[in-house]
């Protein structure tokens, strides 16, 4: 016998469980050195009855495409688009509606005490072995009187294409989560509410139950927002260039990049990762999502598409040069993607094709 | 689902590509035991075999849209399982803690062989390889064999961490939901808790 056959024998004795300690040591040594790859493959092929013909099923994986191409220079030709009217008028003109994607195709996940719970699959009522009650319309409520043995954190994850959830924390503060959002928070706040709520990524709308003695803190990457009697919206998507905190009511303090700013209603803090500035906000635009609307107010196409990508869980592919047009629209988020794209196509500046989960966009000359 | 006739793998595959979870559950039921048995032979740990089997099906479910070219579902499944098993066995044996899971399970269920018939040259081959093994490595091996690290600890060190496995399992559980409700008459949450409890 030569080495190759010994190696075969070694693999056989490993699977038969007849190996001695010494053989096992050699087996581990050789597998780490990559010297048993062929033998393992052959042994498994034989065991499982895999033939050459089966390998044909295995073609190289499909190429993936870059999501966001470079930005083109800005210009501002504007198009005012109405709400649904255009769409209805226009519907008949579209000869081929190839494929379509509806929102809410993906499932929200809650991680609590080492368990992973598929929120969309469970019934209303108290969630088994937790202090959480689920109710109609994607609502979760944390029990005020629950006494956990230590500080325990839960994480809720709304995937791209997932349905927004409203979570009422144990202090009564209400958080609405957009699609593509991950939030971590304590199962129960202590009296001084020093436990942080962390927006890991995504967008939330928060209505804080104010307590001057114990302000609520929300953390995003590199930034801490402290409530001073507040309703605010934070958009901290990883695929956007900045994090935007918009104040609806009350006051809030923002600490980031070594600076501290106080936000008053109607103002928006923009944190770029290295700098923090405050501007006047378009509050209804910033919070339109929680009312079930897309509101585009002079947005470039790539900004529009990033929102659609998160909501419909699509991949966006740009053919040719990006258009410099900006878009104005108000669209119900319950619509299918084709309906939304049709509205954008009314501008006569862009055209879309939907294939599976990929949307390709062309600029019209 | 109508029980008037049993759907073939290819018929089910077409439905799976279109996103039909029930068809996937049917194929899962059809092959899960089989795959588990194959995987188990190579990793010797029931827990690891369970996890890897789940992951194989999850991989397939997640890539369902790219399965248009697949001629034989079974062939595709077996190869996915084979590759996943080899990858993870290798990953496990490179890691001190994970190694313990495989080694201890194997050793505890070892079949006593008649060592006398080991061929002289084979023995010499083993000795020459052992001679190249640093003492430290042999020490690690013995620790792995003897010390009772839990799978939880082991999984922490593994590339496929138990948490990752749990995360992944979410998808399979969505698929299993129907089957569980039908066969066990228990709610998914209870099933979940059972499945994920250490």
């Amino acid at each position: 016998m030569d080495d190759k056959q010994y190696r075969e024998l070694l693999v056989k004795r490993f699977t038969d469980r007849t190996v001695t300690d010494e053989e096992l040591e050699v087996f581990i040594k050789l597998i780490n050195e990559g010297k048993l790859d062929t033998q393992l493959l052959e042994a498994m092929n034989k065991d499982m009855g895999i033939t050459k013909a089966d390998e044909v099923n295995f073609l190289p994986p499909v190429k993936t495409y870059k999501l966001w191409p470079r930005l083109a220079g800005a210009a501002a030709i504007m198009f005012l688009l109405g709400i649904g009217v255009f769409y209805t008028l226009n519907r008949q003109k579209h000869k081929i509606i190839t494929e379509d994607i509806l929102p809410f195709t993906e499932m929200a996940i809650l991680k609590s005490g080492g368990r992973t719970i598929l929120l969309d699959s469970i019934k209303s009522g108290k969630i088994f072995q937790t202090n959480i009650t689920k109710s109609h319309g994607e609502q979760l409520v944390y029990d005020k009187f629950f006494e956990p043995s230590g500080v325990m954190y839960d994480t809720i994850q709304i995937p791209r294409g997932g349905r927004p959830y409203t979570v009422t924390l144990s202090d009564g503060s209400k958080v609405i989560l957009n699609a593509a959002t991950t939030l971590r928070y304590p199962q129960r706040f202590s009296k001084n509410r020093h436990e942080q709520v962390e927006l890991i990524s995504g967008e939330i709308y928060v209505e804080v139950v104010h307590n001057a003695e114990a302000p609520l803190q929300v953390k995003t990457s590199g930034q801490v927002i402290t409530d001073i009697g507040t309703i605010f919206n934070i958009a901290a998507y990883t695929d956007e260039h900045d994090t935007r905190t918009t104040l609806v009511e009350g006051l809030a303090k923002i600490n980031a990049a070594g600076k501290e700013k106080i936000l008053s209603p109607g103002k928006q803090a923009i944190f770029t990762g290295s700098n923090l500035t405050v501007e006047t906000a378009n509050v209804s635009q910033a919070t339109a999502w929680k009312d079930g609307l897309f509101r585009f107010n002079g947005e470039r196409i790539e900004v529009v598409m990033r929102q659609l990508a998160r909501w419909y869980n699509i991949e966006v592919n740009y053919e040719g040069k990006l258009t410099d047009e900006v878009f104005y629209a108000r669209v119900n988020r319950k619509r299918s993607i084709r309906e939304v794209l049709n509205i954008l196509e009314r501008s006569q500046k862009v055209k879309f094709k939907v294939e599976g989960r990929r949307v390709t966009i062309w600029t019209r000359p | 689902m109508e029980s008037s006739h049993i759907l073939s793998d290819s018929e089910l595959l077409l439905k799976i590509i279109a996103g039909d979870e029930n068809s996937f559950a049917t194929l899962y039921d059809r092959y899960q035991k089989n795959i588990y048995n194959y995987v188990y032979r190579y990793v010797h740990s029931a827990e690891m075999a369970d996890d890897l089997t789940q992951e194989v099906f999850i991989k397939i479910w997640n890539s369902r849209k790219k399965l248009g070219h697949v001629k034989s579902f079974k062939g595709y499944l077996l190869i996915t399982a084979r590759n996943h098993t080899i990858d993870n066995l290798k990953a496990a044996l490179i890691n001190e803690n994970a190694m313990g899971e495989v080694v201890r399970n194997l050793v505890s269920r070892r079949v006593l062989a008649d060592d006398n018939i080991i061929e002289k040259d084979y023995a010499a081959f083993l000795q020459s390889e052992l001679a190249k093994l640093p003492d430290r490595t042999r020490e690690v091996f013995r620790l792995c064999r003897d010390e009772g690290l839990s799978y939880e600890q082991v999984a922490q060190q593994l590339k496929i961490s138990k948490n990752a496995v749990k995360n992944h399992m979410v998808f399979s559980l969505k698929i299993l939901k129907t089957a569980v409700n039908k066969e066990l008459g228990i709610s998914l949450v209870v099933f979940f808790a059972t499945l994920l409890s250490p």
Side-chain angles (χ1 to χ4, degrees), chain B residues 131-147:
Chain B
K132 287 181 244 163
L133 261 186
D135 288 347
R136 167 76 190 137
T137 311
R138 301 198 69 177
E139 177 68 11
V140 166
F141 171 79
R142 285 193 191 100
L143 283 173
C144 286
R145 185 193 54 194
D146 302 332
E147 272 182 19

Side-chain angles (χ1 to χ4, degrees), chain A residues 1 6 10 14-15 17 19 21 23 25 29 37 43 45 47 55 57 111 114 116 118 121-122, chain B residues 38 41-42 44 69 71-72 82 90 109-111 119 121-122 129 138 145 167 170 188-189 192:
Chain A
M1 283 211 279
Y6 294 146
L10 204 52
F14 175 79
T15 56
R17 289 180 276 118
V19 277
D21 276 4
E23 282 175 287
E25 286 178 77
K29 173 180 184 279
D37 292 3
N45 282 349
D47 264 6
E55 306 274 357
N57 291 310
K111 289 180 196 162
T116 304
L118 288 177
S121 72
I122 58 173
Chain B
Y38 289 132
R41 253 174 84 75
Y42 287 81
H44 300 291
H69 67 281
K71 301 278 182 295
S72 150
R82 179 196 70 193
K90 290 178 76 168
R109 295 179 56 257
R110 190 144 52 180
V111 182
E119 202 191 307
D121 291 346
Y122 179 55
E129 290 295 341
R138 301 198 69 177
R145 185 193 54 194
N167 294 345
V170 162
L188 182 70
V189 187
F192 226 105

